[in-house]
Amino acid sequence: MSRPRIVIVGAGFAGYRTARTLSRLTRHQADITLLNPTDYFLYLPLLPQVAAGILEPRRVSVSLSGTLPHVRLVLGEADGIDLDGHTVRYTGPEGEEGTLPFNRLVLAAGSVNKLLPIPGVAEHAHGFRGLPEALYLRDHVTRQVELAAAADDRAECAARCTFVVVGAGYTGTEVAAHGAMYTDAQVRKHPMRTGMRPRWMLLDVAPRVMPEMDERLSRTAERVLRQRGVDVRMGTSVKEATHDGVVLTDGSTVDTRTLVWCVGVRPDPLVESLGLPMERGRLLVDPHLQVPGRPELFACGDVAAVPDLNQPGQYTPMTAQHAWRHGKVCAQNVAASLGIGERRAYRHRDMGFVVDLGGAKAAANPLGLPMSGPAAGAVTRGYHLAAMPGNRVRVAADWLLDAVLPRQAVQLGLVRSWSVPLESSSPEVARVPGSPKRPGKDAGPAGQRPDGEDAGTQPGGEPAKGQPGAEPARNHPGGEPAKGQPGGEPAKNQPGGEPAKEQPGGEPAKNQPGGEPAKNQPGGEPAGSRSHGGRAKGGQSGSPRASGKPRRAVEAAGPRPAREGSGKPGRAPRASGAGSAGKRPTAPSGPSRSAGPPTDPGPEPPANQPPPGPDIAPGPVKRTDRRAAEGDS
């Protein structure tokens, strides 16, 4: 007789704890499969320290395969669930599709950024739910301070060194507290104009900071923030976000290039496709974390509305503490449904909360005892070390080094603005060129962002309105690809193409004296671009998770010849006369059939060039005149 198959969707606090506990309880009596977009468990409470340069990203990332040896890990995102057929459809990181059969299913997909119908927020703000967003914020804040220090205009300097955080809960408070310390340390090395310093703002419609905590701890946190110069404005939020700044609900306008969105979270939209009873976007379960009427289906964490037995009529809040405890009880009940052990209802006891405010400052109430100052800081860090399922020594080592050495304020530029849109069903995964896109779930970037990055340089992005030359250059992602780049026509001075016009025997180059100005140079015709969100005809796009249909990978079929104006990265055409892979064909005697205005030459890709993915990022286009063309580099 075959062993029962258990599938767990999501490896957050609830999913990870469920998998670890089930592995111990079943003792090889069941096949446990964990479906997750990444191969690590992210310890979210320490994410603000990653953005502030205290911890390296791998310190808060616990390997799933390394800590769950008896659990099969499948990388991918669930697209649909067939409860009657007992299968889960998913899409892998490279666009491949698969199906996982199950006898027991545990939904622990977690949550995503919560959106509000505020104009401009989806286009100009960034959330704080995953490692890509933390790494982007760290690079972005570093870059803005460096640009502010070099700015000649006083107004531009003030706008760049102003950082607005919306949401004064746990995450927003910690981001503002750590961010103020980080930028103050940075300006000591890069002094700005006389009388100017970084300015952090914390906004919330609530009457006080962290309203869910004890009032004494709330006052402690607000006092620490104000001592560090954070402008705390309660009862105030964002009315509209624009490229130049934000308009607040009190009528004032703040010039800024940074808008961090920490107003809260909402359950993963995957559960909406099941058609089961919901409670404010969460799947209704009984006290045993089982869906009524579906004995094979369990849910825990942020996607589950778990009755609070200590407060009848209420549901447990969406916090990491509850999700961690959900996972243990859920695993016990799943094992009990297979005849291993006994069922138990979820009942929690409040152990208190901790908030790290940076340095030696913190606010905590362990076992209901309010604490502040260095004592609270020690309790807070001790709690995090005890709660982490791995990497404790590395985290403690980073804390020790941060106490005795200055932080490295450098920007790596690995995560771009368009890679971490606010409206995303997978904030833990950064978007890459050529990755599948789900309409309605993964909203592409549009317009100019507060960080000054033109959306015209983003895949599928609409050029910023009101900006000169707003159309993206042809060698930018989202525009028509350069002729020497993957997905573009072969460069005219390369083998298999038309001879370059600045070479002997060719026409004079249009950007040389006596010739017509190049169309992508100042004074010339702006480079053409695609319309907002445009895709090549016949291009594949995934379906939203709510529809329950599997996504189609854009590059699932491998590289294909690009159509005129397709703008799809990675669709390399086969040059005429191309030989075997890795060999350059000889140049033909006559001009090529490719049409269009001349562009900057570049290296010709091999005929079997792989499509761009997570390991291939857009870079600068090389030019023969030893200058780098504009690009997202």
Side-chain angles (χ1 to χ4, degrees):
M1 182 177 180
S2 62
R3 295 186 296 181
R5 293 167 295 194
I6 305 173
V7 174
I8 304 171
V9 179
F13 279 90
Y16 180 87
R17 186 78 182 277
T18 301
R20 192 172 73 169
T21 307
L22 267 175
S23 177
R24 177 177 55 85
L25 293 176
T26 57
R27 298 182 183 275
H28 308 287
Q29 299 179 41
D31 293 329
I32 305 173
T33 301
L34 181 61
L35 176 64
N36 197 58
T38 63
D39 63 348
Y40 60 83
F41 158 74
L42 176 63
Y43 190 75
L44 272 171
L46 293 181
L47 202 58
Q49 297 192 25
V50 175
I54 300 175
L55 298 177
E56 290 304 313
R58 285 187 175 88
R59 303 298 185 257
V60 299
S61 309
V62 179
S63 171
L64 296 178
S65 58
T67 56
L68 301 174
H70 303 299
V71 176
R72 176 195 174 201
L73 173 63
V74 176
L75 294 179
E77 300 179 55
D79 294 322
I81 299 173
D82 184 359
L83 294 178
D84 296 328
H86 287 202
T87 57
V88 176
R89 298 188 305 273
Y90 71 92
T91 301
E94 296 183 353
E96 69 278 11
E97 298 177 358
T99 303
L100 296 175
F102 64 84
N103 300 109
R104 298 291 185 272
L105 176 63
V106 179
L107 291 180
S111 55
V112 299
N113 292 309
K114 181 180 179 180
L115 299 179
L116 297 177
I118 301 176
V121 166
E123 293 80 14
H124 301 290
H126 289 284
F128 202 79
R129 289 291 300 167
L131 268 181
E133 294 171 324
L135 293 176
Y136 166 76
L137 182 62
R138 178 175 172 177
D139 277 0
H140 172 75
V141 170
T142 304
R143 179 170 61 252
Q144 295 306 310
V145 173
E146 291 171 348
L147 293 176
D152 295 328
D153 182 60
R154 191 177 184 87
E156 179 185 357
C157 178
R160 290 194 179 278
C161 63
T162 299
F163 309 95
V164 178
V165 180
V166 184
Y170 293 103
T171 302
T173 300
E174 290 185 346
V175 167
H178 283 280
M181 290 188 64
Y182 179 65
T183 53
D184 285 346
Q186 191 176 355
V187 297
R188 284 196 288 267
K189 300 180 181 179
H190 300 278
M192 292 188 292
R193 298 174 63 92
T194 304
M196 302 194 68
R197 56 164 294 178
R199 175 193 181 193
W200 285 79
M201 297 183 64
L202 181 61
L203 312 176
D204 203 310
V205 295
R208 57 186 176 91
V209 174
M210 295 187 300
E212 62 274 12
M213 290 191 68
D214 183 84
E215 189 172 353
R216 289 171 292 183
L217 298 180
S218 177
R219 290 196 300 265
T220 298
E222 184 172 352
R223 182 175 66 252
V224 172
L225 292 173
R226 294 190 183 277
Q227 288 174 352
R228 292 182 184 165
V230 179
D231 185 2
V232 180
R233 299 191 184 184
M234 295 294 98
T236 306
S237 187
V238 173
K239 182 179 180 181
E240 181 183 2
T242 64
H243 162 57
D244 298 322
V246 294
V247 180
L248 305 184
T249 53
D250 59 6
S252 61
T253 301
V254 178
D255 295 335
T256 182
R257 301 291 187 270
T258 308
L259 180 59
V260 186
W261 194 254
C262 303
V263 298
V265 295
R266 60 188 174 94
D268 191 288
L270 172 66
V271 297
E272 298 175 359
S273 63
L274 300 178
L276 297 175
M278 310 282 289
E279 172 64 28
R280 296 185 178 181
R282 294 196 284 174
L283 194 62
L284 274 174
V285 297
D286 60 22
H288 300 91
L289 306 179
Q290 193 170 21
V291 177
R294 289 287 181 176
E296 77 283 1
L297 181 59
F298 295 79
C300 55
D302 290 349
V303 298
V306 182
D308 190 344
L309 299 182
N310 295 329
Q311 300 180 9
Q314 302 293 325
Y315 298 94
T316 57
M318 298 166 63
T319 64
Q321 287 191 18
H322 281 289
W324 187 252
R325 298 169 186 172
H326 286 175
K328 181 180 179 180
V329 176
C330 183
Q332 293 173 339
N333 292 334
V334 171
S337 69
L338 300 175
I340 304 173
E342 298 180 356
R343 294 178 51 179
R344 56 170 292 192
Y346 177 74
R347 188 184 298 272
H348 73 279
R349 177 172 175 261
D350 190 1
M351 303 294 292
F353 297 94
V354 293
V355 179
D356 188 359
L357 300 176
K361 301 296 182 65
N365 62 342
L367 301 177
L369 177 63
M371 301 177 65
S372 61
V379 170
T380 299
R381 297 202 168 184
Y383 168 79
H384 287 315
L385 287 180
M388 289 193 67
N391 297 346
R392 296 186 181 95
V393 175
R394 290 185 172 92
V395 170
D398 274 7
W399 282 342
L400 178 61
L401 292 176
D402 180 70
V404 297
L405 296 177
R407 300 180 195 175
Q408 294 178 304
V410 296
Q411 48 169 322
L412 302 179
L414 301 178
V415 182
R416 306 299 295 176
S417 174
W418 55 266
S419 300
V420 284
L422 179 63
E423 188 176 2
S424 171
S425 60
S426 298
E428 66 273 18
V429 179
R431 182 175 301 164
V432 295
S435 62
K437 179 180 176 182
R438 286 164 294 184
K441 299 299 177 187
D442 295 339
Q448 186 88 3
R449 295 190 177 276
D451 54 14
E453 296 180 18
D454 193 348
T457 64
Q458 302 165 4
E462 181 181 359
K465 297 181 180 180
Q467 299 295 328
E471 297 178 346
R474 298 192 176 194
N475 58 352
H476 290 190
E480 183 179 344
K483 296 190 176 182
Q485 296 300 315
E489 299 174 4
K492 294 191 176 182
N493 65 342
Q494 296 295 329
E498 182 180 348
K501 295 190 176 182
E502 70 267 23
Q503 300 297 329
E507 298 178 16
K510 294 189 176 183
N511 58 349
Q512 300 295 330
E516 182 181 348
K519 293 188 176 183
N520 60 347
Q521 299 295 328
E525 181 182 347
S529 66
R530 296 172 53 81
S531 61
H532 170 59
R535 296 191 298 267
K537 294 182 179 180
Q540 297 176 356
S541 174
S543 302
R545 284 201 215 179
S547 65
K549 297 181 180 180
R551 299 178 298 174
R552 296 288 182 182
V554 176
E555 300 296 338
R560 294 183 298 179
R563 301 181 182 179
E564 182 70 22
S566 64
K568 286 283 186 181
R571 305 291 179 87
R574 185 182 299 275
S576 59
S580 60
K583 296 182 180 180
R584 286 191 176 274
T586 57
S589 57
S592 66
R593 297 181 181 180
S594 58
T599 59
D600 298 326
E604 180 182 1
N608 61 345
Q609 171 108 10
D615 297 329
I616 302 179
V621 180
K622 294 184 179 179
R623 302 162 55 112
T624 55
D625 56 2
R626 298 182 181 179
R627 293 184 298 171
E630 295 180 356
D632 192 12
S633 60

